[in-house]
Every structure is written in C-alpha cells, then in structure tokens.
Amino acid sequence: MSESSRLKFYCDENRCIGCDGCSVACAEAHELPSGVNRRKVVTLNEGIEGLEYSLSIACMHCTDAPCEEVCPVDCFYIREDGIVLHDKDICIGCAYCLYACPFGAPQFPQDGAFGTKGVMDKCTMCAGGPEETNSHTERELYGQNRISEGKVPVCAAMCSTKALLVGDSNEVSNIYRERVLSAGHGVKTQPYGWNVAYGSKK
Amino acid sequence: MKSKYIFIALIALTSLAFGASDSAIWGKDLIANIAGYDKEGSLHLGKYFTLLQSTYFKPLFFGVLVGVPAAFFIHYAVIGPMIFSHDRKKIYVFTLFNRVVHAISAISFMLIIPTGLVMMFGSFFGGGSFVRLCTEIHAISTLLFIISIVPMFFMWVRWMFIHIDDIKWLMIVGGYLNKDKKPVPAGRFNAGQKTWFWLATLGGVLMISTGTAMYFQDFKLEIIASYGISQIDLLRASAITHNALGIGILALFLVHIYMSVFAIKGAIHSMITGFKEEEEVEILHSSFYKELKEKKEI
Ligand code: HEM
Ligand code: SF4
Ligand code: SF4
C-alpha cells in the first residue's frame, strides 16, 4: 500500500474553534454509550493569549499501528486504504492497545461481567467492522458504515470551519498547503474567533 | 449571608462531582500524555511496552514453557529421581494450617498460570469468548491467591532468611547433579525453596498490585500522581512488570512442580500428610536434621 493512498485525519489548529461538534456528531451517529468517546476535542495552552488552540483527536489510523503490534489476540486488521479496524468478537478487552497508543484512542465501556471493562471500542473512520457491510450486527457493534456508501466520516462532514479534514494523505496535505499559501491574500483562513464574536478590545 | 455559604458549598460539591467523573486516562491528562509520548523527559513507557509486547514477551514465555521442562526431562533421564527409604521413621514437618494454606495457593496457581498463558498466547486460541473467560478466571483466582499468600508469608518467613548453608547449597546445586546420598547443607528450607518463597510472596504482591491496576484501569492514586507519574504510564509500567515477572514466576513454578512431583520421589506426600521420610530430611535438610537431633525431637 503506498503511503499517499492511506486515509488520514488532519485537524487544522488555525481553524478549530473547539466547538465539540465533531465529537457530539460522532457519539450520536454511532449511538455510543456514555463514557465512550471515540473523538475528543482538547484545548491546549488554555487561557494563554496567542498560544491557545484547540484540536480534535481520535484514532489517527497510524502507519505501523502500535496497537496492532501488541494485541495478544491479533484482532486488528488494516484495510487497503489504511483504516485501522479491529474485530470485537475476538478482542478480549485487555487494553494493551491503549498502553501502546500515543493518542489514548482505544476506549473501554464498563460492561463486562462483574462491572469490568468490556471489549475495546475506537474510531472506525466511519468504516464499520468485519461484519457484513451495513448489516444490523455491524451497526450495533461498530456504528455507521459511511465509507461504504461513499460518504465522508461524519465528524469531518459536519465540521463547520472545515478544520477537521479527512482523505488520502496527499489530498489532505494539498488542501493544507493551499490554505497556508493563501493566508493573508483576502481568503478567510482564520476562524471567526473572539474578536468577531465579542468585539475586539483594540 | 447564609445563602452565600450555601452557594459556596454547592460550588464545592459540583466541582467534586466533576472531579470524580473526570477520567484519569482520558481527562485533562490526555493532552500532556499525547504531547509527551516518547518525547525527551517522558518515561518512554509506551515505546518500551510496545517493543517488549510485540517482540520479546511471547518468545520468552514460550522459551521457558518449553525449555524448563526439556531441561528437567534430560535431568530425569540422565540422573534420575532421588528415592528415599520409606522404612524409617517419619518426621512431622507441616502442620494442618501449613498444608491448607499451601493447598489454596496451589489451586490458585494452577488457575492463574494456565489462564495467564492463554491470555499471553491469545491469538493461538483465537481470542474471543474462551480467552475472555480465562481473563475472568485469572482475575477471580487472584482472590484465592491473596488469601493464601498472606498467611503463607507469615507462617514461613522466619525460616526464609539467608544462611551460610544457602551459599554452600548453591555451590553444589542442591546436590541434584548426582545421586550420591551425601548430606546437603540446608535448614528447614533450602536455598531453592527460599528463592521460590520470596518470588511467590513478594513477587506475588507485585503481580497482584500490577494486575489489579490493569483490572480497574481508570482510577487515580494520589501517591503515584504526586511523583508526576500519569495513570497511563502506571498502567504501562504495570503491564511490563506483570509480564516480565510472570516469566520468572512461571519458570520457578515449573521447577517447583518438577522437584515436588518428579525429582524427589514422594516429596508431594509431605504436603498432604504433613510427614517427611526421615532419610529425606537427613540428606536434603541436614542442618535441620542435626538441630532436631540436638533438641532430641527425634
Ligand atoms: C505465568 C504467569 C502469569 C501470566 C502469563 C499472566 C498474564 C496476564 C495478562 C496477559 C494479563 C492482562 C489481561 C488483563 O488485564 O485482563 C494479566 C492480568 C492480571 N494478572 Fe496475570 N499473569 C500471570 C501471573 C499472575 C499472578 C501470579 C497473579 C497474581 C496472583 C496475576 C494477577 C493478575 C491480575 C489481577 C490481572 C488483571 C486481570 C484482569 O484484568 O482481568 N497474574 N495477567
Ligand atoms: S488506536 Fe492508537 S495506535 Fe492504533 S491506529 Fe489508532 S491512534 Fe494509532
Ligand atoms: S483490548 Fe482488544 S484490541 Fe486491544 S489489545 Fe486487547 S484484545 Fe487487542
């Protein structure tokens, strides 16, 4: 698989306004139980003027995914397009993938016997799982399969500032490069932030 | 005035409620953990765990699982078991309490070790419900292990400290390299048994705590946090410790089984009846035998 044909997420920190729309859309679209956050919006340098920015984080569908390397039951599989998925029927909920993951992406609903952690859940890039595509079981276990219908993952589709990008890595970096180049040329690249919403102090 | 205090109390309560619901893994620490992953100044535990788990743990467990029994098979074939006379007197060495505690711990080991191995070689068993069941059994039998290892520690610890006999014992590998019935330097417990005792009890406490940490996963311990160790790094360190120490425990567990069941004919009976053959004590625990003689207890 060539590196450029892999599907990747990218969150443009110049645009993300930390509205949490993506994570809410994700939780609703896939009917996630509370406590499972496949996508999360974090704000860095909170309160420090000029340095504060927000980012939307989920499974990054890593090349050479560390989660896949450590799984004791080998339940991960990586699609042709680079989407990292796993089989919940095989997963034993040991959380090794969480220990290996740099992004804290794997989630563990508290639903096992004796109130213990259940099997792992994470972002599927809206590509479902190993069950029959668009079947009821697939939807129950993994949520919507939008990729099979040619749709963009729901988080990126609804992002109001188009900060959250998804696509093959070449395409995503082209869009980002264009944005950087056109900054300051009359193209709106900054989000309507504090000064528009509340009026500038100066 | 009063309403002001009520208001403050309410604020305090809500922040408590939020604090309680804030995850130690996916809460506010998440950002620092992502930004610091494998960076300079971090503990690099994510990388170490990934490397160890993906390439070293499985082969090491497999090596011990095959290598240790193979070595014993050769020992059994070349040197053979020690056989002691059953005609002489028997010496009462293990009280009923000793034997019950040991039996509980033996049962817990026979549950914990195979189920742990099933998890470690989960892909061989195809994952899914069978391996999940083993995970549950592994966790539940830890309770049995706890209730046996604590009394075991206190009932035997006074004989487990190092003694000059232990050095001598190690020099001749406990006399197991030949079948001569020369008295072996050892007290009530020999150096091998002492090693197993410390590994099973102190190592056991480490296995219990690291296993429990992985089991409960999302909690916060102030002592750990006060050293600047994040919860995810605590879990990573737990997994590394649990699996690395598990290799050692598996190895000595296999040694223990071989000694008690095969290498010394009939040794296992002492843990059932409480009595050891006099000749066995005289040879394998010669210092203990002398002591009993001096005290005129036999
Ligand atoms: C050969 C020895 C052992 C192996 C291979 C082993 C392996 C494992 C593995 C792979 C896990 C992770 C799965 C999980 O978290 O669910 C685990 C968890 C655990 N281990 Fe062990 N282990 C061994 C011995 C022990 C011993 C001696 C104890 C302590 C008595 C112990 C106590 C635990 C506990 C409490 C957990 C958490 C259980 C859970 O999360 O369901 N293990 N062990
Ligand atoms: S779960 Fe973590 S390690 Fe695995 S692909 Fe997603 S981001 Fe990468
Ligand atoms: S929790 Fe499931 S997916 Fe993650 S490493 Fe364990 S078995 Fe594999």
Side-chain angles (χ1 to χ4, degrees), chain A residues 102-136:
Chain A
F103 301 97
Q107 305 285 307
F108 296 89
Q110 305 281 311
D111 69 354
F114 311 105
T116 59
K117 50 193 195 288
V119 297
M120 192 269 274
D121 186 273
K122 73 168 188 67
C123 160
T124 63
M125 213 183 250
C126 290
E131 309 292 333
E132 192 194 326
T133 300
N134 287 322
S135 63
H136 180 70

Side-chain angles (χ1 to χ4, degrees), chain A:
Chain A
M1 171 191 343
S2 97
E3 200 36 44
S4 59
S5 66
R6 293 184 72 106
L7 292 178
K8 289 281 181 192
F9 280 120
Y10 183 80
C11 184
D12 185 342
E13 78 254 25
N14 289 323
R15 285 183 170 232
C16 178
I17 55 171
C19 71
D20 251 322
C22 48
S23 56
V24 174
C26 173
E28 290 307 314
H30 302 302
E31 294 175 32
L32 303 178
S34 68
V36 170
N37 303 296
R38 288 187 181 178
R39 182 165 282 288
K40 201 176 166 80
V41 177
V42 298
T43 301
L44 288 96
N45 305 321
E46 204 164 345
I48 307 175
E49 207 177 327
L51 288 178
E52 178 180 307
Y53 64 94
S54 295
L55 279 179
S56 174
I57 295 169
C59 171
M60 303 300 271
H61 299 273
C62 306
T63 317
D64 302 324
C67 53
E68 189 229 4
E69 287 180 39
V70 299
C71 178
V73 294
D74 285 344
C75 75
F76 285 92
Y77 62 101
I78 299 178
R79 289 171 33 133
E80 277 294 291
D81 52 12
I83 302 180
V84 178
L85 297 178
H86 74 295
D87 188 333
K88 286 192 180 183
D89 286 337
I90 297 176
C91 171
I92 58 168
C94 69
Y96 282 6
C97 47
L98 171 68
Y99 309 157
C101 176
F103 301 97
Q107 305 285 307
F108 296 89
Q110 305 281 311
D111 69 354
F114 311 105
T116 59
K117 50 193 195 288
V119 297
M120 192 269 274
D121 186 273
K122 73 168 188 67
C123 160
T124 63
M125 213 183 250
C126 290
E131 309 292 333
E132 192 194 326
T133 300
N134 287 322
S135 63
H136 180 70
T137 350
E138 186 191 47
R139 202 190 154 101
E140 283 287 298
L141 286 173
Y142 306 93
Q144 290 187 19
N145 189 339
R146 294 168 55 93
I147 296 284
S148 71
E149 297 170 331
K151 293 178 187 160
V152 175
V154 68
C155 50
M158 68 65 56
C159 178
S160 58
T161 61
K162 293 290 161 272
L164 188 58
L165 301 173
V166 62
D168 77 58
S169 37
N170 266 350
E171 200 54 38
V172 169
S173 48
N174 282 343
I175 295 176
Y176 186 64
R177 193 176 313 117
E178 246 170 69
R179 282 183 185 179
V180 171
L181 290 176
S182 45
H185 288 81
V187 182
K188 183 78 200 144
T189 58
Q190 301 295 310
Y192 293 104
W194 298 105
N195 47 0
V196 175
Y198 301 109
S200 163
K201 274 189 183 154
K202 283 174 210 154

Side-chain angles (χ1 to χ4, degrees), chain A residues 40 72 90-91 99 104 116, chain B residues 26 37 123 128 132 214-215 236:
Chain A
K40 201 176 166 80
I90 297 176
C91 171
Y99 309 157
T116 59
Chain B
W26 297 280
Y37 188 88
S123 52
R132 275 199 288 263
M214 293 190 282
Y215 186 84
R236 287 165 178 158

Side-chain angles (χ1 to χ4, degrees), chain B residues 20 25-26 30 81 90 95 131 157 215 229 249 259:
Chain B
I25 300 170
W26 297 280
L30 181 67
K90 303 201 188 293
T95 65
V131 182
V157 66
Y215 186 84
I229 297 167
I249 290 187
M259 288 299 155

Side-chain angles (χ1 to χ4, degrees), chain A residues 72 92-96 99 116-117, chain B residues 53 61 108-109 112-120 132 134-143 145-146 200 203-216 239 242-243 245-247 249-251:
Chain A
I92 58 168
C94 69
Y96 282 6
Y99 309 157
T116 59
K117 50 193 195 288
Chain B
Q53 177 63 28
F61 268 101
S108 72
F109 263 107
I112 284 178
I113 291 192
T115 50
L117 289 169
V118 169
M119 282 188 259
M120 181 54 65
R132 275 199 288 263
C134 287
T135 312
E136 303 286 352
I137 297 174
H138 193 80
I140 294 166
S141 38
T142 299
L143 296 175
F145 184 70
I146 296 172
V205 168
L206 256 180
M207 291 306 272
I208 294 165
S209 25
T210 51
T212 310
M214 293 190 282
Y215 186 84
F216 288 108
H242 198 90
N243 292 356
L245 196 58
I247 299 169
I249 290 187
L250 174 67

